[in-house]
Amino acid sequence: MGGEARSAEALGSEGRVKSLGLVFEDERKGCYSSGETVAGHVLLEAAEPVALHTLRLEAHGRATAAWGPSAGSGSAAPASISEVEYLNVRLNLREAPAGAGTLSLPPGKHEFPFSFQLPSDLLVTSFTGKYGAIRYCVRAVLERPKLPAQSVQRELQVVSHIDVNTPALLTPVLKTQEKMVGCWFLTSGPVSLSAKIERKGYCNGEAIPIYAEIENCSSRLVVPKAAILQTQTYLASGRTKTVQHVVARVRGTHVASGSTDTWNGKMLKIPPVTPSVLDCCIIRVDYSLAVYIHIPGAKKLMLELPLVIGTIPYQGFASRNCSVASQFGVDMSWWALALPEQPEAPPEYTDVVAEEALSRHGPPYPALPHWGAEAPCPAFACIPDFRFQPPPLYSEVDPHPSNAEETRPVAFIL
């Protein structure tokens, strides 16, 4: 059974169950989120008839933070432990009838389907760290008379989706700092650093373009660097533990004394990491982009820009336009059919103005002179003689009124 979890095969004449397995309906599904349905089968193979009290399914999810001496270690210092429960589901797949005591299963292979829905309340993303973990699991338990319970367990990966397209995660982040290099009165000059990223939210696999300006007015050779930091924070019994890891880094070129350097979008790729955990009260996972300058013989100058590692990728302006165009593609098809293959020429002036108004204004341009067989000058020399009259200005009052007795309808040829 590929991808299926099994318990150890029962031994001896009393172990009448050859195997107990748990398989999910979609083994390719990597993770689940709030409100989704978890479905699958419990597989039981019996070598001979099996008498059971109950076959049940349990699903649990909790966050645990703990450190300090373990029980029985003899240390006087108390241990720090905290737990928060997020999931507790219990289903009976097979149960002995009331008063019967046991239920008998014939030899062979048996499948027991199951299905349950995760709570619609926000579930925290699965995570395992140094001082704690957030874990979800599904377990099948077989209880038989006069024998210990037999069980099989599968881990359930849960993710709390974070959309990086929200306005709070699309805002740029900018910081500036300056440091005087030297000791006491032996100062050599300041080193200044400015860093900026285009937005706060990114996803796994994305590359972060870093914009930075480094000015070295000291007498030392400095090196600009950048790194993505993961900070794990655990809270238990009123105490806090913090662990920090570097998950990715990039290095710039040396900046000599009296020189400057600029990063115009230097790329730093995000490796596969756990998304930010921001909604658990005892475990928190934060990320930041540290842009810093290594200064020999002095403490480094560092800027930390906050990051949020999300799960729903950035769509961007171009992709949003494409999605909008695809949505209106069908509705706007009539517009493409109405357009002619060749654009029509604009109408002539004489077609727009009535003949009566045209006769009042006279011809729009004078008649061409007759030069006979040969023209006395090139044709372009007579171009200034042609003057195209503009159309008359629009007015509610007729500038050329006719006699009162004459009432003729005005016609426009459009």
Side-chain angles (χ1 to χ4, degrees), residues 305-317:
L305 309 179
L307 286 178
V308 173
I309 305 300
T311 59
I312 301 177
Y314 175 65
Q315 297 178 1
F317 182 77

Side-chain angles (χ1 to χ4, degrees), residues 242-385:
T242 302
V243 179
Q244 194 170 72
H245 298 287
V246 177
V247 298
R249 66 180 70 199
V250 68
R251 177 191 176 105
T253 57
H254 294 79
V255 182
S257 174
S259 301
T260 59
D261 189 18
T262 302
W263 287 2
N264 292 318
K266 193 175 188 66
M267 293 296 184
L268 178 56
K269 189 174 182 180
I270 304 174
V273 293
T274 302
S276 298
V277 179
L278 309 175
D279 40 22
C280 180
C281 58
I282 63 174
I283 298 177
R284 186 177 177 94
V285 180
D286 295 290
Y287 292 90
S288 61
L289 174 67
V291 182
Y292 58 98
I293 299 177
H294 175 70
I295 307 172
K299 190 176 180 180
K300 60 187 175 185
L301 173 61
M302 184 170 69
L303 299 175
E304 279 199 52
L305 309 179
L307 286 178
V308 173
I309 305 300
T311 59
I312 301 177
Y314 175 65
Q315 297 178 1
F317 182 77
S319 59
R320 286 200 297 267
N321 283 352
C322 293
S323 63
V324 171
S326 62
Q327 293 174 7
F328 286 90
V330 177
D331 299 335
M332 297 289 288
S333 58
W334 63 270
W335 174 255
L337 296 175
L339 291 175
E341 295 183 0
Q342 295 292 335
E344 298 180 357
E348 296 289 341
Y349 177 74
T350 55
D351 295 335
V352 177
V353 181
E355 293 183 1
E356 181 181 359
L358 182 64
S359 60
R360 293 171 183 166
H361 290 282
Y365 49 83
L368 292 175
H370 179 71
W371 289 320
E374 295 184 0
C377 61
F380 65 83
C382 299
I383 290 178
D385 294 338

Side-chain angles (χ1 to χ4, degrees), residues 81-397:
I81 302 175
S82 289
E83 280 192 354
V84 178
E85 186 175 72
Y86 293 106
L87 177 65
N88 189 356
V89 175
R90 186 185 179 103
L91 301 173
N92 287 330
L93 304 181
R94 282 292 185 274
E95 188 177 14
T102 61
L103 174 68
S104 180
L105 291 179
K109 297 181 178 180
H110 303 271
E111 290 190 9
F112 304 95
F114 67 85
S115 175
F116 64 92
Q117 188 175 17
L118 296 175
S120 57
D121 299 336
L122 187 63
L123 293 179
V124 181
T125 300
S126 301
F127 172 75
T128 301
K130 184 176 181 179
Y131 296 109
I134 304 169
R135 291 194 179 98
Y136 301 84
C137 66
V138 179
R139 184 173 66 157
V141 182
L142 175 64
E143 291 186 347
R144 297 176 289 171
K146 299 181 182 180
L147 289 173
Q150 191 174 350
S151 65
V152 60
Q153 181 172 297
R154 293 287 302 275
E155 188 173 358
L156 190 70
Q157 292 293 329
V158 173
V159 62
S160 175
H161 288 295
I162 301 176
D163 188 356
V164 302
N165 298 282
T166 57
L169 300 183
L170 292 178
T171 55
V173 183
L174 171 66
K175 285 189 177 181
T176 302
Q177 191 173 351
E178 183 177 274
K179 177 182 178 66
M180 185 65 66
V181 178
C183 179
W184 295 94
F185 57 88
L186 299 177
T187 57
S188 62
V191 176
S192 62
L193 171 64
S194 296
K196 176 187 175 182
I197 52 177
E198 296 175 333
R199 49 191 165 96
K200 187 178 179 181
Y202 291 87
C203 291
N204 284 336
E206 280 192 275
I208 304 176
I210 307 171
Y211 300 88
E213 293 182 359
I214 304 101
E215 185 177 3
N216 183 15
C217 297
S218 70
S219 59
R220 305 180 188 182
L221 188 70
V222 301
V223 183
K225 301 178 182 180
I228 298 176
L229 305 179
Q230 181 195 71
T231 304
Q232 305 170 12
T233 306
Y234 305 89
L235 178 63
S237 303
R239 302 178 181 178
T240 303
K241 284 280 188 178
T242 302
V243 179
Q244 194 170 72
H245 298 287
V246 177
V247 298
R249 66 180 70 199
V250 68
R251 177 191 176 105
T253 57
H254 294 79
V255 182
S257 174
S259 301
T260 59
D261 189 18
T262 302
W263 287 2
N264 292 318
K266 193 175 188 66
M267 293 296 184
L268 178 56
K269 189 174 182 180
I270 304 174
V273 293
T274 302
S276 298
V277 179
L278 309 175
D279 40 22
C280 180
C281 58
I282 63 174
I283 298 177
R284 186 177 177 94
V285 180
D286 295 290
Y287 292 90
S288 61
L289 174 67
V291 182
Y292 58 98
I293 299 177
H294 175 70
I295 307 172
K299 190 176 180 180
K300 60 187 175 185
L301 173 61
M302 184 170 69
L303 299 175
E304 279 199 52
L305 309 179
L307 286 178
V308 173
I309 305 300
T311 59
I312 301 177
Y314 175 65
Q315 297 178 1
F317 182 77
S319 59
R320 286 200 297 267
N321 283 352
C322 293
S323 63
V324 171
S326 62
Q327 293 174 7
F328 286 90
V330 177
D331 299 335
M332 297 289 288
S333 58
W334 63 270
W335 174 255
L337 296 175
L339 291 175
E341 295 183 0
Q342 295 292 335
E344 298 180 357
E348 296 289 341
Y349 177 74
T350 55
D351 295 335
V352 177
V353 181
E355 293 183 1
E356 181 181 359
L358 182 64
S359 60
R360 293 171 183 166
H361 290 282
Y365 49 83
L368 292 175
H370 179 71
W371 289 320
E374 295 184 0
C377 61
F380 65 83
C382 299
I383 290 178
D385 294 338
F386 306 117
R387 295 289 185 267
F388 292 92
Q389 298 181 1
L393 297 176
Y394 173 78
S395 176
E396 296 289 344
V397 180

